[in-house]
Amino acid sequence: MIKNYFKIALRNLWKRKAYSFVNLTGLVTGITACLLILQYVSFELSFDRFHQNADRIYRVTNDRFQQGKLIQHGTITYPTIGPTMVKDFNEVDAFTTVSNPGTFKLQKDRKIYQEKGLYADENFLSLFTFPLVAGDLKSALKAPYSIILSETNAKRVFNASPKDYPDLIGKTLVLDLDTEPYQITGIMKDLPAASHLQYGILMSYETLVRTWGPWVKTSWDGSDMWHYIQLKPGADAAALEKKFPAFSQRYFKGASVSGSIETFHLQPLTRAHLYSDYEYEIGKTNNGKAVWTMLIIAAFILIIAWINYINLSTARSLERAREVGVRKVAGATSRQLTWQFLSESILLNVAALALSIILAQLCQPVLNKLIEKPLSFSLLTGQGYGGWTMSIVLVVVFLLGIFLSGFYPAFTLSSFEAISVLKGSFKRSAKGIWVRQSLVVFQYTASVVLIVGTLIVFKQLRFMRTENLGFNMEQMLVLRGPELSRWDSTSIDRINSFKAELKRYPQVKAASSSGNLFGNRLSRSFNIKKVGSNDEKGVTFSRMPVDLDFFETYQIKMLAGRDFLPTDSNPDGRKVKNVILNLSAAQLLGFKDAEEAAGKKFLMQGKEWEIVGVVSDFHQQSLKHAIEPIYFAPFYTMGGFYSIKVAGPDMERTIQLVKDKYLSFFPGNDFEYFFMDEHFDEQYKDDKIFGQISSFFSLMAVAIATLGIFGLSSYTIAQRTKEIGVRKVLGATVAGIVQLLSKEFLKLVAIAILIGSPIAWFGVREWLNDFAYKVDIEWWMFVVSGLLALFIAFATVSSQAIKAALMNPAKSLKSE
């Protein structure tokens, strides 16, 4: 019997090719989009869950308060925090401390290999599950000047294959300008893509004790370390966190030790990737709200696709009513008919699922390239979020969706009364109409929400890219400083000579060096007080070392005072005493304006500094962040960056000229460059990707929803064929009939707009809360989205209405 059900179902689907094609297209599109989105969501939610004790590992975070204000919400804290917590709290089982993450230059046989690295203590490899393929896990990071390479770097630097890994143990490499070579003590597997820590080399923390001094283990006020702790089985993280205020008071005694009120918190390791709103982030992060939004879009798409099947199936109820009547007269029961129609649903959905899997795999490389993430079906079959539980849940959801989407049409069609159908007195069910209309309202409510969301996302992204940042980075070529050149008494002259030589080229309009760059997180200085102030507690500034040409190169406006002079800088940094503030820093010190601040002094690190100038505020980071108070000091460095303002059409030729000059002044260094606007826009990369994929899948959802209203309009118009014929005989025009038939559906869309608008407003407001500077949510955005939804619905319905209105009334009446 089951075989017969599916055989008849296949014949019916093949017989009605147009219906089957439209239904199959909607289901394939919806399921494909859902599968792709679910892979993305599974990947993002799976971060750091591969660690053996992931559920017991926490990151220690630190908030600092000065004068009652939060001045730092960060992941960095003091060297002593991890080991002291292990000593003081029985709940803490182990800890690891890491520091100085960044890009390092590995040197071997006069070749330079650049890689991201991290200094980690000997507990690192036992706390985290990062396996070694060669070397001893317990001792690999114990001795000073020990280094662990990833498999990729072992192959890249030594051209080693897996069988060669043990032979690399004991070999040495030179790192940056260190005079003592590093000894290779381990080869580790490449860190998983779903790890918020992404480093190709690990160096022993003990090396920092040698190079920076013993304070990296003993200091209570040098804040440059990250700490992760592992709790004992069954320990309550919330209860432990309640003990931290007493811990802070015990060791910091209010603000007397560090100059700030210190509060500590625990962040679960599994939340570090998606829920990190912290400064000085060490790892790879994303926006958790964006990920959950994509999951909601996936749910909308899948539900809309199944609703379409319901609407398109019930739209054929008139067509199949006679079939039901004949089958019932021939002895078929309602249960048998239900299974017959349900078999059609199962067959169509299974075919759609199979095609969707194939299509998703074909689209996979394109999506992976767009979002730069290694998505695959393995994320849905045991290797992603939830493991095999995720797979089971997905199977249950798909089976339940297939059954429910097929059950309603099957139940509706099988419940027709044979006598009424065969007598020709079969009429529409008011309850059935209400259900179908409700489904269309849901579809268009979702569509309105997605349209408004897409509009706001693109408006915010455009705002961030076009807003005046307060400095000019157009055609700004940026070079990485010569990190392999040592600093000496001639360094300042060499840097200035290099810039002077560059300016001889007509393509170079300006040049400057700086210790950091716009778009990067700046370091901070604490407890700064205005000279003569009675304030017991100082304020906090970000700091940026720059040369004398910095403000001119970036065209930052000087509000008061003067720019730096050559006499302001000194090879001996201890003799530098003049600084320039931005306006926010001057106001934070208590000056009412730039003019009042210029020429005044403040105390920092036991030394008086003179404010020689005040510049206008500008956005040092993306518009997600508020403008920071910054002081600029005339410090030169061989590292850092060179910013070069270039012009002219032949950019390739200009870059080559700059490269030649750079290598002549700084031989033995790599020439690395990028453009400032591209670097700054990197801060918006995740938002841009979210905007692209959310808009694409939102458009897909709206397209699928359009099929839903197509199904309902087809159903309604088919039942009103005789009415349309009578109206035409009585003189009704095509336009009048189209208006009559469209009005009912436009009412449904209008209801959807009223329901969807407040939902959309709440959703986009939550998303915009992540930005310090954002667009306003304006009424016209909802009007545009509503009009667009109305237009789509009207175009869909009117195409069917016009077709029915143009039908020969004689044919219409005869068909009844």
Side-chain angles (χ1 to χ4, degrees), residues 232-296:
K232 292 179 180 177
D236 187 342
L240 173 61
E241 204 168 341
K242 291 180 180 178
K243 300 178 181 179
F244 286 173
F247 172 87
S248 181
Q249 181 60 35
R250 183 161 61 247
Y251 291 104
F252 292 93
K253 299 177 178 58
S256 62
V257 174
S258 67
S260 305
I261 299 295
E262 309 287 344
T263 64
F264 299 95
H265 307 276
L266 295 179
Q267 182 192 39
L269 178 66
T270 52
R271 293 179 63 86
H273 173 64
L274 287 182
Y275 304 99
S276 181
D277 59 343
Y278 297 96
E279 301 169 294
Y280 303 105
E281 179 55 67
I282 192 177
K284 190 176 182 182
T285 63
N286 201 350
N287 188 330
K289 291 180 183 177
V291 172
W292 287 108
T293 298
M294 292 307 302
L295 185 61
I296 292 171

Side-chain angles (χ1 to χ4, degrees), residues 35 38 42 353 376-399:
L35 288 174
L38 285 176
S42 178
L353 179 59
S376 69
F377 265 93
S378 64
L379 291 164
L380 304 180
T381 56
Q383 294 185 19
Y385 176 72
W388 285 106
T389 304
M390 173 76 159
S391 308
I392 296 170
V393 169
L394 285 178
V395 171
V396 171
V397 168
F398 275 109
L399 290 177

